[in-house]
Amino acid sequence: MGITKICCIGAGYVGGPTMAVIAQKCPQIQVTVVDLNEERIAAWNDEDVNKIPIYEPGLSDIVKEARGRNLFFSTDVEKAIDEAQMIFISVNTPTKTYGKGKGMAADLKFIELCARQIAKVAKENKIVVEKSTLPVRTAEAIKSILDNTGNGVKFQILSNPEFLAEGTAVQDLLNPDRILIGGDTTEEGQKAIQALVDVYANWVSEDKILTTNVWSSELSKLTANAFLAQRISSINAMSELCEKTGADVNEVARAIGMDSRIGPKFLKASVGFGGSCFQKDILNLVYIAKSYGLNEVADYWEQVIIMNDHQKRRFSNNIVKTLYNTVSDKKITFLGWAFKKDTNDTRESAAIYVADDLISENAKIAVYDPKVSRKKVLADLDYLESRAADENVNSVLSFENPYEACAGAHAIAVLTEWDEFVAYDWQKIYDSMQKPAFVFDGRNILNGSDLEKIGFVYQAIGS
Ligand code: NAD
Ligand code: UGA
């Protein structure tokens, strides 16, 4: 019998969009997304579909179509677990901030809570799907909790990591490069795998649905993120060498990307990668390698993070150096705060670290981002605990209008590659700024020679 009721624990950047697409593509399946965060669930249920908590192009239309039909958002976690045949766990797995593995290992407390709650509630056999990104062999721990604390019912654990990128989540979900499903090699395991394959087969062709053992699936997710991040750190390392040698990193990226063995994607030099996952997943990988005594493996991957931290710091140092070695009381405008375009997510955004460095030098930071509020900017800075919260309040100016944000500024730093920045009236911006007017393009999106013709001093990454 096919699956007719799915529950997803965690209504975040993964749970929300993923389940919305499953509900849209499988009208015969009832999908309930649950979360402990009442505010988040209320926002998912907001009558005005533009107020759902996550901004992703195309997402509000899908939610509008499926919500109330076969897509539901609720805080009643137990009821949804009880009713579902298949339960996705999509809760957050952040880097641990305490105890053993602090600053490196993944914090699995939310995962364990889910497993205990499923075990407590389940009165019938269920398939539990790891959708969150997890350290390899987590399924073993989940299984042990389920089997030892449950009501004697049988559980199958599948690993089904998510590969969507924010900003393109809907497209990635509708047309995935692949769907990865790991499960037990036993007969029951294979049946559980098939049940999940059948869900995806409603819109994904079967040749794109890959099945493996659980450990390969868990480790493939960490490996994919490590490889992607490694490409960015590799090109960013070259960007510094380009700046010293007269080479242009955009030209270098184009030249190497045309080699079909290398390929053109993920070679965009930048102020550094952000986002909730690359850093945490690589740190987790490093921790796992170290825990097996594989120190060379750990050091190899840790360098990706070291390079990324260096790139962010290099960007802020360069601003201070170029502005005559002092930014004290100077207004520096940040265009963009989100970690990439087309998302309202700011987790680990390079902008936070660059702002933190500049505020430590007494700069005033004026922020304009089309999707990020002042409240979020301040919360991000407060989280670093570099100074008292009121000092951040006094150091950050926020604007709803980019032209006002730039007026009177000594310099502009582009931190996010929002398309709208390219289309601005840059002459008007120049006229309103202090002179010389500097632009530090942390995303290499602006046309430097056009800006120089206007009179700007323009600096891009890696040229
Ligand atoms: P998120 O923080 O946006 O969402 C997680 C949600 O889970 C939160 O709303 C939280 O309140 C809820 N939650 C935590 N514990 C709970 C519990 N016991 N019961 C009910 N709800 C609970 O996180 P996210 O970005 O969606 O990431 C989730 C997982 O997916 C992570 O492991 C992440 O690594 C992985 N992932 C994320 C992305 C991405 O682009 N964000 C992509 C692929 C994989
Ligand atoms: C990334 C992966 O791309 C997804 O496949 C994965 O599912 C996800 O992590 C996850 O596990 O969370 P995401 O972080 O949402 O997705 O966004 P990316 O497009 O990968 O961008 C990450 C960061 O790298 C951004 O700050 C982006 O601006 C930066 N980046 C990306 C570059 O600096 N240069 C590039 O060439 C590409």
Side-chain angles (χ1 to χ4, degrees):
M1 201 191 69
I3 297 293
T4 55
K5 283 192 178 165
I6 284 177
C7 156
C8 172
I9 310 180
Y13 283 86
V14 167
T18 311
M19 293 301 128
V21 168
I22 290 185
Q24 188 205 32
K25 294 293 177 187
C26 313
Q28 73 284 11
I29 301 179
Q30 180 183 309
V31 180
T32 306
V33 192
V34 291
D35 204 295
L36 298 173
N37 184 334
E38 290 178 9
E39 208 182 316
R40 211 166 208 184
I41 290 297
W44 279 111
N45 283 323
D46 200 299
E47 241 173 79
D48 179 355
V49 84
N50 294 314
K51 291 199 178 141
I52 55 175
I54 285 162
Y55 173 71
E56 276 294 337
L59 180 61
S60 56
D61 288 341
I62 295 180
V63 171
K64 199 171 170 184
E65 181 189 332
R67 198 176 59 187
R69 180 189 71 188
N70 64 326
L71 175 65
F72 302 93
F73 294 94
S74 165
T75 49
D76 195 344
V77 181
E78 298 203 347
K79 180 165 179 272
I81 292 173
D82 180 34
E83 290 178 352
Q85 300 132 330
M86 182 176 270
I87 300 157
F88 286 80
I89 302 181
S90 295
V91 301
N92 37 328
T93 50
T95 304
K96 262 186 102 175
T97 53
Y98 55 89
K100 191 162 174 271
K102 178 179 171 182
M104 297 218 98
D107 190 343
L108 299 180
K109 69 178 174 199
F110 304 111
I111 297 285
E112 176 160 347
L113 260 170
C114 290
R116 289 187 184 275
Q117 202 159 18
I118 294 168
K120 186 179 108 189
V121 173
K123 311 263 173 347
E124 286 159 22
N125 297 350
K126 304 213 184 266
I127 299 171
V128 176
V129 184
E130 298 174 344
K131 181 53 98 180
S132 300
T133 302
L134 296 170
V136 56
R137 295 205 78 87
T138 303
E140 203 170 38
I142 295 181
K143 188 154 180 47
S144 165
I145 292 167
L146 290 173
D147 288 348
N148 289 303
T149 60
N151 305 310
V153 298
K154 288 209 168 124
F155 295 100
Q156 279 301 321
I157 323 277
L158 299 178
S159 159
N160 172 222
E162 183 48 60
F163 295 100
L164 69 79
E166 289 177 33
T168 54
V170 170
Q171 273 320 307
D172 294 343
L173 288 163
L174 292 174
N175 302 301
D177 285 347
R178 81 314 210 171
I179 296 290
L180 179 59
I181 303 174
D184 268 2
T185 46
T186 57
E187 198 186 328
E188 293 79 24
Q190 295 302 304
K191 270 194 200 151
I193 290 179
Q194 192 55 46
L196 186 52
V197 169
D198 290 345
V199 172
Y200 283 110
N202 282 289
W203 79 98
V204 181
S205 66
E206 295 215 15
D207 58 321
K208 287 194 168 173
I209 304 178
L210 201 65
T211 61
T212 64
N213 78 31
V214 188
W215 321 128
S216 305
S217 174
E218 287 179 337
L219 187 57
S220 294
K221 174 62 198 179
L222 293 182
T223 309
N225 275 359
F227 270 61
L228 289 168
Q230 171 265 322
R231 281 176 70 97
I232 304 170
S233 278
S234 295
I235 200 71
N236 281 345
M238 289 306 160
S239 76
E240 190 170 13
L241 192 54
C242 285
E243 288 166 24
K244 297 283 180 218
T245 57
D248 179 327
V249 78
N250 299 316
E251 292 179 351
V252 172
R254 186 147 186 268
I256 65 163
M258 284 174 79
D259 184 326
S260 60
R261 294 168 303 175
I262 297 174
K265 294 181 184 165
F266 263 70
L267 285 179
K268 182 97 181 155
S270 70
V271 56
F273 61 75
S276 60
C277 294
F278 280 170
Q279 174 166 305
K280 98 168 154 63
D281 292 347
I282 293 175
L283 289 173
N284 185 211
L285 193 65
V286 170
Y287 183 75
I288 293 168
K290 277 192 182 154
S291 70
Y292 285 106
L294 308 179
N295 293 327
E296 290 77 7
V297 177
D299 290 349
Y300 178 79
W301 287 109
E302 191 167 20
Q303 195 60 35
V304 173
I305 300 292
I306 292 170
M307 190 62 227
N308 197 49
D309 288 340
H310 172 65
Q311 189 76 346
K312 292 183 272 188
R313 179 67 35 89
R314 204 164 78 72
F315 188 78
S316 45
N317 284 347
N318 181 48
I319 293 179
V320 177
K321 194 174 115 216
T322 308
L323 295 185
Y324 315 106
N325 287 315
T326 174
V327 289
S328 181
D329 286 326
K330 288 181 180 168
K331 177 179 177 184
I332 300 175
T333 301
F334 277 29
L335 290 180
W337 189 267
F339 82 97
K340 64 185 283 199
K341 73 173 180 176
D342 292 337
T343 177
N344 59 351
D345 195 351
T346 64
R347 289 177 289 181
E348 290 299 328
S349 179
I352 304 168
Y353 295 92
V354 175
D356 187 55
D357 283 351
L358 296 176
I359 293 171
S360 297
E361 293 287 336
N362 290 342
K364 298 279 183 233
I365 306 296
V367 181
Y368 170 76
D369 186 294
K371 293 285 174 199
V372 180
S373 66
R374 173 178 175 80
K375 194 175 153 203
K376 189 85 197 66
V377 170
L378 290 173
D380 288 338
L381 286 167
D382 290 347
Y383 187 74
L384 295 185
E385 294 183 348
S386 302
R387 62 191 70 76
D390 59 344
E391 284 180 58
N392 284 329
V393 170
N394 292 333
S395 304
V396 175
L397 319 160
S398 303
F399 296 88
E400 307 269 305
N401 175 313
Y403 294 97
E404 283 169 18
C406 295
H410 293 259
I412 292 171
V414 179
L415 273 307
T416 313
E417 73 280 24
W418 287 100
D419 291 339
E420 65 173 66
F421 298 162
V422 180
Y424 285 170
D425 180 345
W426 282 93
Q427 181 68 58
K428 185 174 159 187
I429 290 174
Y430 179 78
D431 292 342
S432 74
M433 286 176 64
Q434 305 277 346
K435 307 294 178 315
F438 294 89
V439 171
F440 299 94
D441 190 348
R443 293 294 179 164
N444 290 4
I445 54 168
L446 300 175
N447 185 323
S449 55
D450 283 358
L451 292 188
E452 279 164 1
K453 269 185 220 142
I454 291 173
F456 282 104
V457 181
Y458 176 80
Q459 288 190 15
I461 303 279
S463 59

